[in-house]
Each structure stands twice: as C-alpha cells, then as structure tokens.
Amino acid sequence: MNGFLHQLALGAPLFALILTGYLLMRVGRWPTAMSQHLTRFVFSVGLPAMLFRMMSDLSHLPPVDSRLLLAFFGACLGIFVLGRLLSSRLFGLDGIGQTVFGIGCIFSNNVMLGLPLAKAYLGDRAIPSVALVLVFNALILWTLISVSVEWYRHGHFSLKGLRDTLKGVLCNPIILSILAGTAFGLSGAALPEVLDSPLHMLGQTGMPLALVALGMSLAEYDLRAQWRVSATIAVLKLVVLPLAILGLARLIGLPRMETMVIMLLGSIGLGANVFLMARQFKAVEGGIAGALIMSTVCSAVTTPLLLAITAHVFGATGP
C-alpha cells in the first residue's frame, strides 16, 4: 500500500496539469486553435529539444537492455490479436473496425504522457529506455496497422505502404531528435554552452506543456458514444496489456529498470493518434474517443498501482 501511495503522489501533479488543460477548454472556453498550436509546439520544439539534449549525452546514460523491445512489442502483438477477436465476437466489427479496436488496446500516449511520467516516477535514467521504445513504436505499430487494413481491403500488403510508413516515421520530429541526439552522443563531442543552455530551457517546457496540451485535446472528445466499446478497450489497455508485458519481461529475465519503463508505457492511456486513425478509416470513432478519455483518467490510479506491483515483484516498495 505504501508503494502505491508513493507512486500516486508522484503522478498527482502531472495529472493535475492534464486537468488544467481540460478545464481551460471546457470551462475557460479557449478556442480549439490554442490546443492545436500548443500541441504542435510540444511535438516540434519542446520535447525534441529535451530528447536531443539528453541523448547527446549518451556516454553518461545507463545502457539499455534491448530485450525490452521483445517484451513490450511481443505483448502488444498478443493483445492486438485478442482485441481483434473480442471486437468481432462482442461488437460484430468488420476487418477495419477490428484493426482500429485492436490498436486502441495497445497504442499508448508515450510522448505526451509516457515521457513525463517516466521522468517523474523513474528519473532521467529511464529516458534511454523510453527513447528506444519510441523509435520502434511508431514503425512497428503503424506498420501493423497498414498491413492489417491493406490485407482486409486487398488481400495483400504493398511495398509502397511500407515505404510510406517508414518515411512518415523518419520525418517525425520526436524520432528525428532521438536519432540525431544518439548520433551526436556516439561521436563523443560535447554540446557547446551556447546550444546546450537554450536546448535545456526549451526542454524544460516540453513535459509540462505536453500534459496541458493533452488535457486540452481530451476536451474535444465525447465519453458517452459507444461506451461499452470504450470500456472494453480501456480494460484491455490499462490492465491486460501491462500484465502481459510484466509476464513476458519476467519470463525473459528483463532487468528491473527496463521492466518498470515498459510496464509504465503499457499502462498509460491511449494515444490521440488512434482517434485520428479511427476518423481516417471511419471506424469505431465514438468508442475510441471515449476510450481516450476513460483510459487517461483511470490511468491516474491504475498506473501507480501497477508500478507498485512491479516494484514489489522485484522486492522493493518503490522505483
């Protein structure tokens, strides 16, 4: 219980920032453009500055056990298949609807929520593990979406689809900042003060503004539409996925830090990209919108609880 309360206290200020953004839009009636512009700044400037600066200091960061990718994405694949089966049996969704539902069960808000939470709960030493997941998350999960949808529509997957997916991933400012920072870090050079200082200041804005922007974006969605679909996705995302990740991590003997990181990333709310995908394919839009809000709100309690359980498994009461 002490471990859970400790984790809850660490996360409370971060979720308070999400609530602040939500209230600005719902109570303050801020225009939607404010949310869009703030989100663009966070993704294009704030978080990339922080990630580049941290990864450029690679020699001082702890090494990462790359087997975390096997545990994280292995569990994601299993829950994606389970989600597709359940969505067909319970809600009668077609192939595209099943794909959107399945991705909703595994695609976390790793950038706007995962990064700030990892830093708050686990410290800077968790960032390299988060960065590794971020790089492969976009490529693997978006490729999975493309394969699944194209296979349903045409019975095959084209190389053009893979090329377009890869191009989109490599043009992402978050991914670019991680790769560029890592390359700079491996060179052994040090950032000059004239660059390091402004990057540090910009990076400090990234995480709190990401959480405010997340709250602002949540105000756009409706919780009531297709609530049964939303609740099913939320349970699979917040409970079943992280437990599957923990099981795989323990099975392969993943170290404590890497296990804590991927458990955290697996246990947080859905990423807004899933809703954009639902809109694009015109499938399960109401269910995904509701799950986005439901999973983000509920993760304020479930994520600290699951982290406390993980810490207890490793014989500790906190990270």
Side-chain angles (χ1 to χ4, degrees):
M1 178 58 73
N2 288 337
F4 166 63
L5 293 177
H6 174 66
Q7 303 287 358
L8 192 64
L10 287 175
L14 306 185
F15 284 96
L17 289 177
I18 297 175
L19 179 61
T20 299
Y22 184 85
L23 292 176
L24 285 173
M25 301 300 287
R26 281 296 174 94
V27 179
R29 302 292 182 183
W30 282 26
T32 304
M34 294 292 291
S35 171
Q36 295 170 344
H37 294 325
L38 183 58
T39 299
R40 185 176 181 182
F41 172 82
V42 166
F43 271 91
S44 302
V45 181
L47 290 178
M50 184 207 73
L51 288 167
F52 177 84
R53 183 172 179 270
M54 294 197 74
M55 299 308 293
S56 68
D57 198 21
L58 198 61
S59 61
H60 295 91
L61 295 173
V64 178
D65 190 327
S66 59
R67 291 179 301 164
L68 69 86
L69 297 175
L70 175 61
F72 185 81
F73 291 108
C76 284
L77 179 59
I79 302 306
F80 173 76
V81 173
L82 176 62
R84 285 194 57 131
L85 292 174
L86 288 177
S87 66
S88 175
R89 294 286 181 87
L90 297 178
F91 307 112
L93 299 180
D94 62 14
I96 295 178
Q98 292 170 30
T99 297
V100 174
F101 185 101
I103 289 296
C105 297
I106 63 175
F107 203 103
S108 299
N109 196 346
N110 287 331
V111 176
M112 297 181 76
L113 187 55
L115 266 173
L117 287 179
K119 188 174 175 65
Y121 284 131
L122 306 171
D124 289 348
R125 58 204 177 111
I127 299 301
S129 296
V130 177
L132 185 60
V133 171
L134 285 177
V135 169
F136 285 90
N137 190 63
L139 178 60
I140 291 176
L141 294 187
W142 282 107
T143 299
L144 181 62
I145 295 166
S146 301
V147 170
S148 183
V149 171
E150 286 200 32
W151 193 269
Y152 171 74
R153 286 177 169 173
H154 311 297
H156 67 277
F157 176 65
S158 65
L159 290 177
K160 181 180 182 299
L162 179 60
R163 186 176 66 249
D164 291 345
T165 299
L166 183 60
K167 181 181 178 182
V169 169
L170 294 178
C171 290
N172 185 308
I174 299 293
I175 306 303
L176 279 174
S177 64
I178 293 172
L179 296 178
T182 301
F184 188 89
L186 291 173
S187 72
L191 280 173
E193 181 64 25
V194 69
L195 291 178
D196 184 67
S197 183
L199 282 175
H200 176 62
M201 288 187 284
L202 283 172
Q204 286 183 314
T205 71
M207 289 191 176
L209 289 182
L211 295 170
V212 173
L214 173 58
M216 295 170 77
S217 66
L218 289 178
E220 302 174 25
Y221 305 129
D222 183 7
L223 182 62
R224 296 167 294 180
Q226 302 180 11
W227 69 268
R228 291 182 180 85
V229 174
S230 301
T232 305
I233 292 173
V235 169
L236 288 169
K237 177 69 187 66
L238 300 182
V239 180
V240 181
L241 175 62
L243 291 179
I245 290 172
L246 178 59
L248 271 178
R250 296 299 289 165
L251 183 65
I252 64 177
L254 198 65
R256 182 176 184 274
M257 174 55 72
E258 283 82 350
T259 301
M260 296 287 285
V261 167
I262 59 176
M263 269 288 293
L264 184 151
L265 295 180
S267 70
I268 60 178
L270 273 68
N273 283 342
V274 184
F275 180 71
L276 298 179
M277 183 184 69
R279 273 187 172 172
Q280 178 184 344
F281 294 126
K282 295 180 171 57
V284 208
E285 294 177 62
I288 292 296
L292 189 61
I293 298 175
M294 196 179 295
S295 62
T296 302
V297 172
C298 292
S299 67
V301 175
T302 58
T303 293
L305 178 60
L306 287 164
L307 285 176
I309 290 172
T310 305
H312 179 72
V313 168
F314 279 90
T317 57

